[in-house]
Amino acid sequence: MNKSLLALACMVFWLSTAAQNFSKKVFSLGAIPSSIKSKAVVDVDAMTPFKLVGGLTFVEGMQNGQRATYILDTGAPGLILNNKLQEAESADHYIASGLTGNTSIGEYVVDEFRILNITKRGMPAHQMDLEHIEDEILHRFEGLVGSDIFNQSILILDYKNQLWGTASEAPRKRLDVSIPFTLQEHFIVMEISIGGRDLRMILDTGAEISIMDGMSSICLKAKLLKDSGFTSIQSASSENTESKNVVVSKFFMGKHVERNHEFSILDFDFINEGMSNKLDGLIGFPFLEGKKIAIDFPNRKIHIYK
């Protein structure tokens, strides 16, 4: 079976050199160093609806007093604005090259950005043209909201009821398991175990699929990976590539057991270049679908609820 999915998946940008990017019809943007400090004001305990478009999470925010729609993408570093770039507009203009091609990236400062009960002022952002993503999913959006925006918060994501918000404390009611994570750059990194082998995975709300690095898959016993067709992947550069899919019958994430999970197999070198610790892929919407989780940034834990 050949599928076409969107991954706003994991672009790693270096301000000193050309960037590395990966995308698909799953989207997630990686480490963009921030040279401008922002002032953040954080309240607590706000919940609001979100909208699912395929496996992408659409949320509302306010940019400079104007209401706008964004994709929630914990694989992205902060705020990525969906703007066409004119080279004359900014000296801070970069080229990101990676899995399927090149794309241009510019820098921008947002006077005020509000989302949920979080307000950031003088906020550095990046901008790139994502119109081809809009055309693919038939929905318009102002940009991507990444993990750095929530790094002082406990972020609640209820995919069953399509609600999200922040909390002063992680809810205890119906808590199933709590799993530690680490932050590598802005990436939320969790360990999973497949057939006794540990893999380090990014938790990515901007990915419609899960991805496993090709070399990491080779290290697993073949009997653990069942072929399940191919996926067409589109990057932020609007080019396409095709990946092989496999189904893993069972993997462990701490004490949590995930069954019959599908991964696309891709070369993750574009993410790992420059990283101190190798990443083995990402966990996207197939894991999140139907779940309620809390991303507890202060305590570096993912809480999964019954």
Side-chain angles (χ1 to χ4, degrees), residues 140-158:
R140 301 299 171 191
F141 58 94
E142 192 69 21
L144 312 174
V145 177
S147 60
D148 287 348
I149 291 173
F150 308 101
N151 62 10
Q152 299 176 40
S153 306
I154 298 173
L155 184 63
I156 311 294
L157 297 172
D158 183 346

Side-chain angles (χ1 to χ4, degrees), residues 51 53 57-63 66-72 80 82 113 115 134 139-145:
K51 180 180 179 181
V53 178
T57 304
F58 279 68
V59 299
E60 287 193 350
M62 298 279 288
Q63 180 181 321
Q66 299 296 313
R67 187 173 298 277
T69 299
Y70 302 87
I71 294 175
L72 178 65
I80 313 291
N82 180 13
F113 180 73
I115 195 158
E134 295 179 311
H139 282 74
R140 301 299 171 191
F141 58 94
E142 192 69 21
L144 312 174
V145 177

Side-chain angles (χ1 to χ4, degrees), residues 89-163:
E89 289 181 357
S90 173
D92 297 323
H93 190 129
Y94 309 96
I95 299 296
S97 61
L99 183 66
T100 64
N102 297 333
T103 189
S104 296
I105 303 163
E107 290 187 338
Y108 187 76
V109 177
V110 176
D111 292 336
E112 183 179 86
F113 180 73
R114 293 177 178 267
I115 195 158
L116 295 175
N117 49 7
I118 297 171
T119 300
K120 290 183 178 285
R121 299 185 176 92
M123 181 180 179
H126 285 73
Q127 51 187 343
M128 60 193 302
D129 184 5
L130 299 172
E131 185 177 12
H132 60 284
I133 302 294
E134 295 179 311
D135 292 342
E136 183 70 37
I137 63 177
L138 302 178
H139 282 74
R140 301 299 171 191
F141 58 94
E142 192 69 21
L144 312 174
V145 177
S147 60
D148 287 348
I149 291 173
F150 308 101
N151 62 10
Q152 299 176 40
S153 306
I154 298 173
L155 184 63
I156 311 294
L157 297 172
D158 183 346
Y159 281 88
K160 182 177 181 180
N161 297 301
Q162 295 188 37
L163 293 171

Side-chain angles (χ1 to χ4, degrees), residues 18-235:
Q20 303 266 336
N21 107 30
F22 158 85
S23 173
K24 170 174 182 169
K25 297 173 187 173
V26 205
F27 208 77
S28 110
L29 304 182
I32 303 176
S34 175
S35 58
I36 305 172
K37 294 183 178 179
S38 62
K39 180 181 178 181
V41 179
V42 180
D43 298 320
V44 294
D45 296 326
M47 294 293 290
T48 192
F50 64 77
K51 180 180 179 181
L52 281 176
V53 178
L56 300 177
T57 304
F58 279 68
V59 299
E60 287 193 350
M62 298 279 288
Q63 180 181 321
N64 296 335
Q66 299 296 313
R67 187 173 298 277
T69 299
Y70 302 87
I71 294 175
L72 178 65
D73 182 5
T74 57
L79 183 62
I80 313 291
L81 299 177
N82 180 13
N83 291 331
K84 290 185 177 180
L85 297 180
Q86 302 295 328
E87 290 197 31
E89 289 181 357
S90 173
D92 297 323
H93 190 129
Y94 309 96
I95 299 296
S97 61
L99 183 66
T100 64
N102 297 333
T103 189
S104 296
I105 303 163
E107 290 187 338
Y108 187 76
V109 177
V110 176
D111 292 336
E112 183 179 86
F113 180 73
R114 293 177 178 267
I115 195 158
L116 295 175
N117 49 7
I118 297 171
T119 300
K120 290 183 178 285
R121 299 185 176 92
M123 181 180 179
H126 285 73
Q127 51 187 343
M128 60 193 302
D129 184 5
L130 299 172
E131 185 177 12
H132 60 284
I133 302 294
E134 295 179 311
D135 292 342
E136 183 70 37
I137 63 177
L138 302 178
H139 282 74
R140 301 299 171 191
F141 58 94
E142 192 69 21
L144 312 174
V145 177
S147 60
D148 287 348
I149 291 173
F150 308 101
N151 62 10
Q152 299 176 40
S153 306
I154 298 173
L155 184 63
I156 311 294
L157 297 172
D158 183 346
Y159 281 88
K160 182 177 181 180
N161 297 301
Q162 295 188 37
L163 293 171
W164 78 309
T166 59
S168 54
E169 295 182 3
R172 306 300 301 176
K173 186 177 181 180
R174 296 186 62 81
L175 176 62
D176 185 22
V177 64
S178 296
I179 305 161
F181 70 84
T182 59
L183 287 176
Q184 186 166 341
E185 303 288 348
H186 62 276
F187 293 127
I188 299 167
V189 179
M190 309 182 69
E191 285 194 358
I192 70 171
S193 178
I194 301 176
R197 182 175 289 272
D198 293 337
L199 302 177
R200 302 178 70 249
M201 295 288 191
I202 299 166
L203 181 66
D204 190 351
T205 63
E208 283 190 313
I209 56 169
S210 296
I211 295 168
M212 186 184 298
D213 174 57
M215 290 303 297
S216 300
S217 70
I218 291 172
C219 294
L220 298 172
K221 293 180 180 179
K223 67 179 182 180
L224 297 173
L225 308 176
K226 182 180 178 181
D227 291 348
S228 60
F230 297 85
T231 294
S232 175
I233 300 174
Q234 184 181 51
S235 79

Side-chain angles (χ1 to χ4, degrees), residues 2-3 85 151 239 251 267 273 276 290:
N2 193 305
K3 295 186 293 185
L85 297 180
N151 62 10
E239 301 296 330
F251 71 74
D267 183 352
E273 185 173 344
S276 56

